Amino acid sequence: MSAINGQSTNGSTATPKTPRTGGEVVCDAMLAAGVDVIFGMPGGASLPFYDSLYHYQDRIRHVLIRHEQAAGFAANGYARATGKVGVATSTSGPGATNMVTCMANDIMDSVGVVYITGQVARPAIGSDAFQEADVTGISIPITKHSYLVMDVDDLPRVMSEAFHLASTGRPGPVHVDIPKDVFLETTTETAPDQVNLRGYRPSKVGNARMVRKAAEVINAAERPIIMAGHGIDISGAADELLQLATRGSIPVVSTLHGVGTFPETHPLSFGMLGMHGLAYANFSMRQTDCIIGLGTRFDDRAVGKEDEFGPGAKVVHIDIDPAEIGKVLETDVPIVGDLKLTLQKLLPLIESRDRTPWLDQMNGWRRDHPSLKIPDSPDSVLPQEVVRAIYDISGGEARVIADVGQNQMWASQHFWYERPRMFFSAGGLGPMGYALPAAMGVKLADESQDVWCVTGDGGLLINIQEFNTLAAEGINVKVAVLNNAHLGMIRQWQEFFYEGRYMGAFLDNPDFAKVAQAFGLHGVGTSSRDEMHDAIAMAHEYDGPVVLDLHVDRVENVYPMIVPGTGVNSVIEDPR
Amino acid sequence: MNGTETHTLVATVADHPGVLTRVASLFRRRGFNIASLAVGHSEEPGYSRMTIAVEGSAEEVKQCEKQLYKLVEVVSVRNLTGAPAVTRELAMIKVRVKATERPGLAEITDIFRGEIVDVSKSSMIVQMTGAQSKIDRFLDVITEYPIEEISRTGVIAIARDDVGPRNGRARG
Ligand SMILES: Cc1ncc(C[n+]2csc(CCOP(=O)(O)OP(=O)(O)O)c2C)c(N)n1
Ligand SMILES: [Mg+2]
């Protein structure tokens, strides 16, 4: 439309530019970025923007969520599933503050979301006007960048910068706060052909000398290990990762967000490491002589105690964010760069080597410490079985969005993710209530994919109002509630570390199947193993959203577990 | 390795509303300690120069520089600690003095190459420019006089020309 034309014919002063309202500028910027879904709820300050959305409804789908937090999480899911930018919108004040958790979540997980919030009209700013809140003041420490747009002529540039910043370098949330009257005013300005931000030049290929040094260190290593992080997915470097691992016979472990960046059924895959990582993944970190960290920030939940993490190992760290390098681990070979481009330079320098003794050792741990064995449970269905059943029935082809807590760990462990963007979860911030709205975003990103939301009963309740959105918009998400009648992860910690003094851990749940039915969804509840399998098979076939309230064992724990503050030497494995 | 010292960072930042809040917010959030912060126009319209005296170990300050770089409005950061640079601070000190005490204070001020910029019946205002240590020493010497008010700008710094290559600009 006009902006797209405006952008390409930019600079030709001959054609008179069509004036556009602020609201239209935002819509055009979305389309120019290839984004055709927006999640949000209107309000006084954003009504002019909704009037623009009204006129763009043939090109932009607006999804009315039932709480602004769901808008942000849905946009996060959309962004992660597409690799594009997600967009969420709210009104000023309470609408905007409802999205604060989402911004904090995006920045922790490096997810590109543009937040469009309405603000009170310019003359009212600073007067404590109705629904005024200093949301750009609030969002500064939890966004990659933010704007309060005081002049509509700035808006075309701001919007193209916002999409650029959100999606390039290390992606992250960008907040654009737009006063009501700025949405209404018109401008003939267009976005510049190219974003030009002097203070923002993300690096591309890593330093050639360092790349050579990395190859030397890797080639010399007897027991190297690749730690694959979210950066592999963001940079689209899964192929390069596979080549690196297979050429050098280098085993791969992944972080929570790295799950699926390396095919998990590959013999060189040793699963996820960290606090609830697989025992053999963690043991290998004790013995390795070379950690190759790819697009990871060596988060404390992944690393545990630093001195038991690859003691004496050389560290090669490739990441696009220089501030992550050397932040946690002392690094022998620091490389700042885009992973795909940098790995392409590194690959030809990697010698193909036989590392059988090392792989034998790792496979020995895999054999002797089978972290993924599901114990027998005659009297109750175990939550792990539910995840396995979804894996089996979907043929491993479902996109799984996990919530936070025990369910998240089981969903990461008991499903074998073969590709990036198959498993989604809120890792860094860990906000309960993420999964259901995020699953809506993942589904709308590509409706041809099967999408399963695996959530705890506690986390479901945090954004259960989105059952209404599923029903109203017909978003075909399958919800599996691992209903253990507890804030399970809390119960587990109180069992392990507070001698069973349970406080605030028990949940007096409603009948979720009936709740789902009341919302107009297909809801089924069961506590039997056979019915559980049948219900998952039914949901898999059913053409529409389904909620399965699966009553699982109430006191099952997540294993293995590394006690916080300790290292892999004190891993707790399943006693059964 | 872990010795805490004061480092002088000089940052060029876009002259946008809120940029000071961003820098201050970053320091607070990451637990970096600002000893002083001075901001003013730079040689280039639209850009300001911030001189930040930050306390911490070399590693902490390195991390601080990297985090500053990540702010979109920060164009460059240089750590001038230990580099050939000129650093200056301006202080104004209002001292309560009787008429008879004036010559004594004037003499000390003179030795420190300060300036008396105002005199009233009961007080004098001394203006002192120089390295921070010189101002500190001056304040030590005049402890016998009751000091009514001190206002210091915080240091500003500028590198001498023989300083090595600029810091890399890579950022994420
Ligand atoms: C918004 C929010 N509040 C509190 C927590 C702390 N917390 C982490 S896990 C958890 C329990 C989650 O319970 P449930 O959703 O039932 O999942 P389960 O662990 O039982 O699988 C809690 C309360 C959190 N992560 N997020
Ligand atoms: Mg639960």
Side-chain angles (χ1 to χ4, degrees):
Chain A
M1 272 306 294
S2 56
I4 297 170
N5 294 336
Q7 278 196 341
S8 49
T9 61
N10 199 20
S12 74
T13 39
T15 37
K17 289 165 183 166
T18 343
R20 296 179 293 158
T21 66
E24 288 165 354
V25 169
V26 175
C27 293
D28 287 338
M30 281 183 62
L31 292 173
V35 180
D36 54 7
V37 183
I38 185 168
F39 302 91
M41 185 182 292
S46 64
L47 276 176
F49 177 43
Y50 272 73
D51 203 37
S52 305
L53 287 171
Y54 178 87
H55 293 293
Y56 277 72
Q57 56 187 295
D58 56 330
R59 282 156 288 164
I60 297 176
R61 175 169 179 183
H62 173 264
V63 176
L64 177 66
I65 43 60
R66 268 56 175 179
H67 184 303
E68 288 86 350
Q69 184 178 97
F73 288 161
N76 173 299
Y78 177 89
R80 292 192 56 182
T82 56
K84 295 194 279 195
V85 173
V87 183
T89 186
S90 77
T91 189
S92 63
T97 55
N98 271 349
M99 297 199 298
V100 167
T101 305
C102 311
M103 298 178 187
N105 181 53
D106 298 332
I107 195 112
M108 283 292 249
D109 286 350
S110 311
V111 180
V113 174
V114 169
Y115 290 88
I116 307 291
T117 57
Q119 181 53 277
V120 300
R122 280 168 296 178
I125 290 180
S127 71
D128 302 316
F130 177 63
Q131 293 196 328
E132 182 184 5
D134 175 15
V135 286
T136 43
I138 294 171
S139 69
I140 281 179
I142 49 170
T143 50
K144 185 168 172 182
H145 198 48
S146 58
Y147 299 87
L148 168 60
V149 184
M150 294 297 279
D151 185 340
V152 72
D153 287 341
D154 292 338
L155 194 57
R157 173 186 55 79
V158 166
M159 288 310 304
S160 67
E161 286 177 8
F163 279 100
H164 179 72
L165 287 167
S167 57
T168 53
R170 180 176 180 175
V174 179
H175 177 194
V176 186
D177 198 25
I178 305 178
K180 182 173 189 173
D181 53 338
V182 173
F183 277 128
L184 285 166
E185 282 191 357
T186 56
T187 180
T188 54
E189 290 295 321
T190 51
D193 282 338
Q194 274 213 312
V195 170
N196 180 22
L197 289 160
R198 254 179 81 184
Y200 180 77
R201 302 273 151 85
S203 36
K204 301 227 156 63
V205 187
N207 177 294
R209 199 169 53 83
M210 282 297 161
V211 170
R212 281 196 300 276
K213 196 172 161 205
E216 278 166 31
V217 168
I218 295 169
N219 289 336
E222 299 291 327
R223 300 180 305 282
I225 191 150
I226 295 169
M227 181 167 163
H230 192 188
I232 298 278
D233 167 20
I234 296 171
S235 160
D239 286 347
E240 287 75 8
L241 169 62
L242 185 63
Q243 287 178 50
L244 176 66
T246 46
R247 180 167 310 177
S249 299
I250 308 171
V252 180
V253 296
S254 76
T255 67
L256 183 71
H257 286 323
V259 161
T261 57
F262 189 77
E264 290 198 308
T265 55
H266 194 286
L268 287 171
S269 169
F270 288 82
M272 185 178 84
L273 85 173
M275 181 176 281
H276 289 295
L278 308 181
Y280 43 88
N282 285 318
F283 289 151
S284 54
M285 299 315 293
R286 196 169 56 177
Q287 296 289 330
T288 176
D289 62 354
C290 175
I291 299 170
I292 307 162
L294 303 180
T296 168
R297 61 188 170 88
F298 292 114
D299 169 58
D300 55 277
R301 280 290 197 269
V303 167
K305 209 168 158 195
E306 283 154 38
D307 41 341
E308 286 181 34
F309 192 76
K314 288 257 195 295
V315 176
V316 176
H317 191 183
I318 312 181
D319 200 280
I320 199 152
D321 183 355
E324 291 303 343
I325 290 178
K327 189 181 86 175
V328 176
L329 298 185
E330 256 184 69
T331 306
D332 301 273
V333 190
I335 303 182
V336 178
D338 174 76
L339 266 169
K340 190 181 184 73
L341 299 176
T342 306
L343 288 180
Q344 283 171 349
K345 293 279 180 240
L346 178 66
L347 276 170
L349 310 177
I350 296 297
E351 290 163 9
S352 96
R353 261 198 68 171
D354 173 51
R355 290 191 163 95
T356 309
W358 173 225
L359 292 172
D360 283 350
Q361 197 177 6
M362 289 191 62
N363 281 315
W365 290 318
R366 195 200 303 256
R367 190 179 53 242
D368 300 339
H369 300 270
S371 300
L372 294 181
K373 185 173 162 282
I374 301 178
D376 289 337
S377 172
D379 301 326
S380 61
V381 177
L382 295 182
Q384 303 91 304
E385 297 177 57
V386 174
V387 178
R388 282 286 173 92
I390 296 173
Y391 176 72
D392 291 338
I393 290 166
S394 69
E397 285 298 320
R399 288 182 144 173
V400 174
I401 299 86
D403 205 68
V404 173
Q406 293 182 313
N407 61 86
Q408 180 182 30
M409 294 301 120
W410 288 316
S412 73
Q413 292 174 338
H414 291 274
F415 196 110
W416 285 264
Y417 300 94
E418 295 291 271
R419 293 189 301 280
R421 299 182 186 167
M422 295 299 279
F423 175 69
F424 305 84
S425 158
L429 191 72
M432 286 165 69
Y434 168 81
L436 178 58
M440 304 192 316
V442 171
K443 184 68 196 183
L444 293 184
D446 182 353
E447 301 203 57
S448 71
Q449 303 284 315
D450 286 344
V451 173
W452 278 85
C453 161
V454 174
T455 176
D457 37 352
L460 174 66
L461 282 164
I462 286 195
N463 275 318
I464 198 165
Q465 78 285 342
E466 296 312 312
F467 278 178
N468 193 199
T469 313
L470 285 189
E473 301 271 339
I475 304 174
N476 189 354
V477 166
K478 319 299 179 188
V479 182
V481 189
L482 304 187
N483 185 346
N484 54 7
H486 281 95
L487 298 170
M489 191 57 96
I490 300 298
R491 197 206 57 75
Q492 176 169 353
W493 280 54
Q494 289 175 341
E495 178 189 330
F496 284 14
F497 309 124
Y498 296 87
E499 292 154 346
R501 291 186 299 277
Y502 299 113
M503 182 71 204
F506 181 71
L507 291 174
D508 223 339
N509 284 321
D511 180 332
F512 290 117
K514 279 201 187 132
V515 172
Q517 288 157 13
F519 274 102
L521 298 173
H522 191 29
V524 177
T526 179
S527 57
S528 104
R529 181 166 283 120
D530 287 346
E531 285 179 18
M532 181 268 284
H533 278 101
D534 291 348
I536 291 173
M538 176 280 291
H540 180 67
E541 294 302 326
Y542 187 81
D543 185 22
V546 177
V547 176
L548 305 181
D549 182 13
L550 305 170
H551 296 262
V552 294
D553 193 286
R554 295 185 165 200
V555 293
E556 179 65 3
N557 288 320
V558 179
Y559 295 106
M561 178 175 198
I562 295 176
V563 177
T566 73
V568 283
N569 294 332
S570 28
V571 61
I572 307 175
E573 292 186 80
D574 197 330
R576 288 162 295 186
Chain B
M1 275 299 265
N2 259 333
T4 294
E5 55 171 328
T6 305
H7 294 250
T8 309
L9 303 183
V10 174
T12 307
V13 304
D15 197 0
H16 292 166
V19 65
L20 189 59
T21 317
R22 280 182 213 281
V23 171
S25 163
L26 169 71
F27 276 75
R28 178 192 50 75
R29 153 165 150 58
R30 302 257 174 203
F32 302 126
N33 252 332
I34 304 185
S36 74
L37 172 70
V39 199
H41 295 300
S42 72
E43 69 288 350
E44 198 181 339
Y47 292 89
S48 304
R49 183 140 296 124
M50 283 189 185
T51 310
I52 310 161
V54 54
E55 287 161 5
S57 67
E59 296 88 78
E60 282 166 351
V61 174
K62 186 81 216 156
Q63 177 64 207
C64 176
E65 276 174 60
K66 288 177 173 179
Q67 293 293 346
L68 270 175
Y69 252 121
K70 284 180 69 169
L71 298 180
V72 171
E73 284 154 335
V74 173
V75 173
S76 73
V77 185
R78 301 173 85 181
N79 187 343
L80 295 186
T81 319
V86 182
T87 53
R88 289 288 180 270
E89 182 172 15
L90 169 73
M92 292 196 290
I93 304 134
K94 189 195 277 181
V95 189
R96 186 145 296 282
V97 280
K98 301 192 188 75
T100 52
E101 293 169 327
R102 279 185 200 145
L105 182 64
E107 194 186 333
I108 303 171
T109 304
D110 215 37
I111 293 170
F112 277 85
R113 294 171 200 272
E115 230 181 292
I116 310 280
V117 290
D118 189 63
V119 180
S120 77
K121 271 191 200 148
S122 57
S123 70
M124 297 206 318
I125 298 176
V126 178
Q127 170 188 305
M128 189 66 63
T129 345
Q132 205 166 19
S133 55
K134 172 179 137 182
I135 296 171
D136 290 343
R137 247 182 312 121
F138 175 72
L139 291 170
D140 282 347
V141 171
I142 61 163
T143 43
E144 62 190 276
Y145 301 96
I147 291 174
E148 200 154 89
E149 218 176 306
I150 301 178
S151 187
R152 298 175 69 153
T153 56
V155 291
I156 55 170
I158 204 157
R160 294 182 203 273
D161 251 349
D162 47 354
V163 94
R166 292 194 166 229
N167 284 343
R169 315 184 32 140
R171 84 245 329 274

